[in-house]
Each structure stands twice: as C-alpha cells, then as structure tokens.
Amino acid sequence: MVRVSNGKSLPLSMRLYLTVDTLHMQKQEMCPLDPNALDGNENEPGENEIRIVKIVRDEKTGLGLSIKGGAEHCLPIMISQIFKDQAADKTGKLFVGDAIIKVNGEMIVHCTHDEAVNILKNAGDLIMLTVKYYRAATPFLKKDENDKSNGESKPLCGKTNCVTNSLTLSKKWVDVTVVPLTMGYVSRYIFGSDKLRPNGFEVYGLNGVKSGIIYCDTPVILSQWLKYISDNISALIQLEIRMFNRFCSAAERIEFMGWVQEGTKQLSAEVNVWNSYEPKFFAIKGSEVYFFITPPVKPEDWSECECSFKMYESQLKIIKESDVCDERQHCLLFTSIGSVVKYLSVETRQELLKMESSWNTALCSAVRRLKEVKYTVNVGKPRMPAEFRIDWNYGYSLHDTQTNECIWKYRYSQLKGSSDDGISSLKLLFRDEKTGGIETRELESSSLELILYNMLAFTGSKFSLVDTKYTHPII
C-alpha cells in the first residue's frame, strides 16, 4: 500500500500492482460479483497470476497448443487451444486464456503473431514459458475453439453454478490509473526542476498517462519500488532495441535508448545554473546520436527526431559530483560541432554508467567504419597547403597535397599533448621514438573544431580497445 496524489489534493491510500509492462494504481470498491467467475475449472490459476511452466516438445505433435493475438491486433499472444494428451496438456499447468509473456526468458509481449510462432517453433525441445492467466478472455477463446469444431457453442468445461437474480456484492481492487511502462520513465524529481522528492516518485507513460505522485512510508520501500519499476522499463526498452535491430544492418544497429532530462533555461548568462528541465528521449543508432521529444516506436519515426549529431563530431562527458551545476545528480555534458551544448541528467548512477559504456562502444564502431578523415591545412613559413590525416590503423600524418608524399607521421601513443587558439591554430606535441625528445608540429585550418572532435574520437576509441578500463576524460 502507498499514498498517491495528483500534486494538488491530499494523498489517497492505494495499492500498487506491477506487471511486466504496466503499473496499476488501484483502490478497493464494492462491486457486483461476476457470474462468469463462478464457472470454470477448479484447477485454474488466479487472475493475472504469473507462472513459469516447463514444457517438453513432442517429436511428432510439437507443443500441442494453438495461439491467437499479436502486436498487429493490439493483443497479447494468447493460448487459444490445448490438444488433449499432447505436450501442453501433459504439463497440467497451461490453460486456455494464458497469455505467453516470455519464451525461454525472451519477452514476446510486443511480437506479431508470426514472430511469436517462429520463436515457439525454434525454442528447442525443452521450453520455459512465462504465462499470465486472463479469465475474462477464456470464454471467447473457448467459444472460437468450439465454433471451429462443429459450428456450435458448447458449455464451458468444469462445474456450473446457478446465479439468482439477487445482487451479490464483493470487495474488489479497481484500477484508478494504468501506466504503460514501454518507453516510460520514473523520476523522483519535481517535474521540470532539480528538487528531489524525499519519499516519493512519479511514473510517466508513453501515451501521456502519469501515475501521480506515489509516496512510500520508508526509504526501503521507496528504493524497492523504484528498482522493480525501473528494471521492468529497462527490460522493455531492451526488447524494443532487439525488435528494431532485427531489421537493421550492422552499421545501423541501436546501441542505447533511454530518457534524459535536459536543462533548458539558465538563471543568468553568467551563472551556469539551470532552473528548468525537459524530458528528452536519447538514442545512439549507428554513427548518430538522436534527441526525441517522444520516443520512436516505428522505423519511420527516426526521421522525426528533434535533432541528431555524428558521434565522431561530438563528445559526451560525465560531470563529477563536485562540479554539477545545481541539485541534479548523475549529470552529463553533451557537446558537438557548432557550439552545441546540452546539459543532461539521468535518474540513477547505473543509467549514467550504462549510457557512458554504450557511447564508448558505439563510438569505437563508428570510427572503425569511418577508417580515415582528411583535412586541408596550412603549415610552415610561409604557409603552404598540406593534407592532415587521422587514420584508424596508424595514427596521425601530414601529406603533400600535390605529390601525396608523407611529410611526417606518428602513432596515437606518440601524441603527448596539444594546444590551440580556439580559432584556427593547432599545436601538436609528439614524442620521437628514437631520441625520446618532443617534436612540435603546428597546423592552421578553418576546420579546427572538427579536427579536435575527430582527434578525440579516434584517439579515445583506439585506447579503449587496448585498455578496457579506459574512459574519456571526466570534466
């Protein structure tokens, strides 16, 4: 039991009920007893009870069940028929009306009918089904089954009861609000601010539904609910990533998706403190970084992003706790070409570390696919045009633009320092491998900002492969 408020009135006592993909805020009411609840098999499981059932495939007859539903019908994958004396029937633990949530641990709640059939067919001989029983769907599924067999609707199996005309009332938990967790997020902050609620949180759904402010009696209960809900949201996002990646090439795979809060308004131009935050959906796909106002749910939605950036022309830095701008925790700074600066925060440290790890993995893949970048620069006195190259396999080199002859080249490990004037001049310090001395190379380019971003991307990615503990500098 928790207390739930809309932020304007006093909190009301409610029950939280968490499923794989929804969060229910429920209150208890006196309701008429459902006559259909009196009919059925006495061995049927409880309503909405989640169970894990082991089923052994028969070589000749397979699983011995039929399914209906699918994402294209906006329905879960339901068991519509169980064949007598076959594999599903022999378990004694599967029923018409069971929704299949997972197959061998893989969630299929958003699969189409054909995808679910393929997953079940290729799941092996020993299959673990995670199922949830929906009593209300059973009469319709059994009616369809009987209609197919002889065109007539037969009585439901199991014992029957007579119901009188007198109204029977019973206490029942009734949904007040149901928040879908797919692409949703949880926040302890007062919306749009950097102020933490000491004992409450709010859940936001993709369709604009909000849970209201949920208050817990103790910090332990609060942390448990936050973990349970966040874990479900994370699992659903991973499922969405897998679904998208089925239709993507290796170069366009999604590495990360999740919500961030972006600082949108500063108190003053002189003080880097944010007093307003907006939720943004952040994604890393192929070589691109995307910011959305609403998450992409279809392939064509990726073209509707608010903005996107090339990874090797951007930086993502974790901000040390001592250097954060306000009361927000777990903050990052995103910068890109053209003086783009985004101050971001996430809800937990786990999200922060996962975001950083995904960034480094995706950046390394993006740079390896890019292989090499070239820039026209001016060197020497008087200034002469040349071509500065950053190569994934070797490192840094300077080439004559007319003859393509290499003037100098160094490996990544030889770069010991750099400085620039923020306009066009760049000074690079390399260690000579033979003498151990420092050699200075000076360049001038109108693409200075782009050169610096690419140097960081190539160098950081190269070192992260050699040193698995390598991370980009923390500011």
Side-chain angles (χ1 to χ4, degrees), residues 412-425:
Y412 292 103
S413 58
Q414 291 179 261
L415 181 64
K416 298 304 175 183
S418 66
S419 61
D420 64 88
D421 64 357
I423 302 173
S424 61
S425 296

Side-chain angles (χ1 to χ4, degrees), residues 266-381:
Q266 290 180 282
L267 289 173
S268 68
E270 294 77 23
V271 182
N272 192 25
V273 177
W274 308 93
N275 68 345
S276 180
Y277 282 82
E278 290 183 2
K280 297 292 176 67
F281 195 78
F282 178 87
I284 301 172
K285 183 176 183 288
S287 303
E288 301 274 343
V289 180
Y290 296 83
F291 288 86
F292 294 88
I293 296 176
T294 58
V297 294
K298 302 185 298 294
E300 53 267 29
D301 291 344
W302 290 88
S303 61
E304 302 298 324
C305 65
E306 182 183 50
C307 53
S308 64
F309 307 90
K310 294 290 184 184
M311 291 197 71
Y312 40 79
E313 297 176 1
S314 308
Q315 295 181 46
L316 187 70
K317 298 180 180 180
I318 293 180
I319 301 175
K320 293 188 294 186
E321 293 294 334
S322 58
D323 294 334
V324 295
C325 296
D326 49 28
E327 298 301 316
R328 281 264 175 178
Q329 302 173 336
H330 316 306
C331 298
L332 309 99
L333 191 68
F334 175 87
T335 58
S336 191
I337 296 295
S339 302
V340 174
V341 180
K342 291 180 178 291
Y343 189 80
L344 312 173
S345 77
V346 293
E347 197 70 23
T348 66
R349 179 162 178 78
Q350 287 83 351
E351 291 176 81
L352 185 74
L353 297 177
K354 184 176 181 180
M355 196 169 171
E356 182 193 35
S357 174
S358 299
W359 175 276
N360 290 336
T361 300
L363 179 61
C364 184
S365 298
V367 169
R368 293 180 74 173
R369 288 192 297 269
L370 188 61
K371 295 182 180 179
E372 183 184 53
V373 289
K374 304 175 182 180
Y375 303 97
T376 299
V377 298
N378 293 311
V379 296
K381 292 183 180 180

Side-chain angles (χ1 to χ4, degrees), residues 134-154:
Y134 289 95
R135 185 187 302 276
T138 307
F140 302 100
L141 294 169
K142 287 185 176 180
K143 181 178 185 300
D144 287 346
E145 173 189 341
N146 292 323
D147 285 344
K148 284 183 177 180
S149 61
N150 57 15
E152 297 180 0
S153 179
K154 296 181 179 179

Side-chain angles (χ1 to χ4, degrees), residues 126-137:
L126 180 62
I127 306 172
M128 304 300 292
L129 296 182
T130 303
V131 297
K132 180 167 65 172
Y133 186 66
Y134 289 95
R135 185 187 302 276

Side-chain angles (χ1 to χ4, degrees), residues 41 43-45 49-56 62-67 77-83 86-102 120 127-133 138 142 157:
N41 191 322
N43 295 321
E44 285 180 352
E49 177 187 346
I50 296 178
R51 308 165 345 262
I52 299 177
V53 180
K54 180 173 70 174
I55 180 172
V56 180
L63 297 180
L65 58 81
S66 296
I67 61 172
I77 303 299
M78 307 289 295
I79 296 178
S80 61
Q81 190 171 2
I82 294 177
F83 298 96
Q86 295 186 20
D89 185 49
K90 289 178 181 179
T91 67
K93 298 179 180 179
L94 291 173
F95 301 87
V96 172
D98 276 333
I100 302 177
I101 300 170
K102 296 181 182 179
L120 287 167
I127 306 172
M128 304 300 292
L129 296 182
T130 303
V131 297
K132 180 167 65 172
Y133 186 66
T138 307
K142 287 185 176 180
C157 61

Side-chain angles (χ1 to χ4, degrees), residues 408-475:
W408 51 256
K409 61 181 179 179
Y410 299 94
R411 290 197 293 270
Y412 292 103
S413 58
Q414 291 179 261
L415 181 64
K416 298 304 175 183
S418 66
S419 61
D420 64 88
D421 64 357
I423 302 173
S424 61
S425 296
L426 174 64
K427 183 183 292 184
L428 302 174
L429 305 178
F430 296 101
R431 183 178 295 279
D432 185 275
E433 289 186 325
K434 294 181 179 179
T435 65
I438 299 297
E439 298 180 345
T440 301
R441 304 296 185 183
E442 295 185 10
L443 313 172
E444 277 195 0
S445 174
S446 58
S447 303
L448 176 64
E449 186 182 21
L450 188 56
I451 291 175
L452 293 175
Y453 273 106
N454 280 313
M455 284 182 63
L456 181 64
F458 274 74
T459 305
S461 298
K462 198 72 174 180
F463 287 155
S464 67
L465 287 182
V466 178
D467 182 3
T468 56
K469 296 183 179 179
Y470 174 84
T471 57
H472 291 288
I474 298 176
I475 63 174

